[in-house]
Amino acid sequence: MNPILTFIVILIGFYGLATSNNIIKSVFSVTIIESGVILLFLNLGNLEGGAIPILNDQVSYIVDPLPQALMITTIVIGSTVTALALMLCIKIFHHYGTVEWKEVLGRKDVKS
Amino acid sequence: MSRKILLVAMFAVLFGVFATSMIELETLFNTYGKTYFLEHGYAETGASNLVTAILLDYRLFDSLFEAGILLIAVSGVIWISKHDVEEKNAKFMIDKYKTPDLFITFARLVYPLMLAFGFYVIINGHISPGGGFQGGAIVATAILILYYIDANKETNIGLIVTVEKILYLLIVLMASISIITQGAFFTNFFNPSADADLKAIYLVLLNVLIGFKVALGLWTIFTAFLKEGR
């Protein structure tokens, strides 16, 4: 897959972040950006013709294991950040009764 | 309307910058690291899975803070969550009468298989695909099926989080043993010239600790969301 296609995925995430009115949709947009970044890094490892990076007797040409090891970190951190953000959404809904950005930010008792 | 035009223009500029940087990618990317891992990875770490070799030996410092971030996020979710940690007998969002009987029956059959597969992935993390983080996620999924079988299950979140903190301390201690035996931080505590099977002991121990820590962390997050949704 071309790296430029992965950047289109990242831009879709940016667009959703810039235009969505719902807080939960913003969280999903962050997740989409993260998926694009993961795809981009996995592309950097000479994918064509490479075997999986597990050594045995037949393997002589492998893909680069370093981006894969880094992306495990990204996936774990991304899932935890999503969980934290969704929990904050639940608290916002319990406190204000809405998850729309404009309604939450437009209230008089919120200092923006 | 002008805002959207501005947005599209900004995206076009970003896309142009990225596309021009990608042209030089072939010259920027080299294969020195890959060749080094291919030639020396098994001899130096004892792991034929090179991703595990990087995660648990070459870049163990990163993995430690990755596990630490998971612990911090779990603490944050519980702290933000409305209900107190001491509350044990919360009624969960899942209603037993809405869960189909077929699902409950098959969940009872599948549950031990999922648990065994999770342990397999954790223990064989150094020779096959998988490892602590992935196997921990599978074990956590197996545990979460129990909530569908028994909706009135009691969970003591405080105990789980305490065990998780102890496990994180154990991981840091296990990674720091090498300062006594090797004189260097965060590497295998056996000598690099030792036999590969001997060095695998360290990898299996660290994988098991990380796997249980991740499983407990994901279990805690799920329970916090269940309590919040009632």
Side-chain angles (χ1 to χ4, degrees):
Chain A
M1 199 158 114
N2 202 322
I4 290 175
L5 288 181
T6 65
F7 195 64
I8 290 175
V9 176
I10 297 175
L11 282 185
I12 289 171
F14 273 127
Y15 182 80
L17 205 56
T19 58
S20 63
N21 290 323
N22 199 318
I23 297 180
I24 295 179
K25 285 181 184 171
S26 298
V27 176
F28 288 169
S29 303
V30 173
T31 315
I32 291 171
I33 295 174
E34 200 181 283
S35 310
V37 171
I38 291 169
L39 281 174
L40 174 63
F41 268 82
L42 290 183
N43 263 321
L44 295 179
N46 277 4
L47 283 179
E48 291 165 12
I52 55 171
I54 294 174
L55 299 178
N56 53 29
D57 296 337
Q58 295 96 27
V59 170
S60 61
Y61 182 74
I62 56 170
V63 299
D64 201 347
L66 187 58
Q68 305 194 1
L70 291 179
M71 285 308 107
I72 290 178
T73 312
T74 311
I75 290 169
V76 171
I77 290 173
S79 65
T80 55
V81 165
T82 309
L84 201 58
L86 286 177
M87 184 56 86
L88 279 173
C89 288
I90 291 174
K91 300 316 283 186
I92 286 171
F93 183 75
H94 281 173
H95 198 258
Y96 295 116
T98 178
V99 284
E100 300 286 319
W101 278 118
K102 283 176 184 170
E103 292 179 28
V104 173
L105 291 176
R107 289 173 66 105
K108 296 260 174 64
D109 53 342
V110 179
K111 291 169 189 170
S112 61
Chain B
M1 192 62 201
S2 63
R3 272 187 164 186
K4 287 202 172 172
I5 295 171
L6 206 62
L7 197 64
V8 170
M10 195 185 81
F11 284 169
V13 170
L14 276 177
F15 189 79
V17 169
F18 184 78
T20 49
S21 70
M22 278 299 117
I23 293 171
E24 300 171 351
L25 182 68
E26 293 300 320
T27 57
L28 286 176
F29 188 79
N30 60 54
T31 58
Y32 298 133
K34 193 174 77 175
T35 320
Y36 181 83
F37 290 135
L38 183 61
E39 285 170 356
H40 300 92
Y42 181 70
E44 284 183 355
T45 64
S48 45
N49 185 353
L50 288 178
V51 176
T52 306
I54 293 170
L55 267 182
L56 296 185
D57 203 318
Y58 291 116
R59 290 179 173 258
L60 182 58
F61 198 57
D62 288 355
S63 303
L64 282 182
F65 282 99
E66 177 185 355
I69 282 174
L70 184 58
L71 183 63
I72 291 167
V74 167
S75 310
V77 166
I78 289 175
W79 190 73
I80 294 170
S81 175
K82 183 176 166 185
H83 304 282
D84 289 330
V85 175
E86 288 82 17
E87 185 180 0
K88 285 179 189 173
N89 220 347
K91 286 178 184 170
F92 291 120
M93 179 173 61
I94 298 168
D95 190 353
K96 192 180 182 183
Y97 300 105
K98 286 177 188 168
T99 311
D101 284 339
L102 189 67
F103 181 79
I104 294 176
T105 311
F106 272 96
R108 285 191 175 128
L109 289 174
V110 167
Y111 164 70
L113 289 177
M114 288 178 72
L115 213 55
F117 179 64
F119 289 143
Y120 169 81
V121 169
I122 289 175
I123 292 172
N124 280 329
H126 61 296
I127 49 174
S128 72
F133 291 102
Q134 298 92 325
I138 297 173
V139 170
T141 317
I143 292 171
L144 302 190
I145 277 189
L146 284 181
Y147 284 99
Y148 286 92
I149 297 173
D150 184 9
N152 297 317
K153 192 173 170 51
E154 285 185 23
T155 313
N156 190 352
I157 294 188
L159 182 65
I160 299 174
V161 177
T162 312
V163 172
E164 199 188 341
K165 286 171 188 166
I166 293 171
L167 278 177
Y168 183 65
L169 274 182
L170 279 179
I171 292 169
V172 175
L173 280 180
M174 181 75 73
S176 306
I177 289 176
S178 63
I179 199 172
I180 304 169
T181 58
Q182 295 294 314
F185 269 116
F186 302 140
T187 180
N188 203 324
F189 51 75
F190 288 113
N191 199 12
S193 60
D195 191 38
D197 292 336
L198 196 62
K199 284 189 283 193
I201 294 173
Y202 160 80
L203 297 169
V204 170
L205 280 176
L206 210 55
N207 259 337
V208 167
L209 285 175
I210 289 177
F212 276 106
K213 191 202 158 299
V214 171
L216 292 179
L218 296 180
W219 185 11
T220 318
I221 288 176
F222 182 77
T223 317
F225 272 96
L226 274 186
K227 285 188 173 184
E228 199 63 40
R230 65 178 174 172

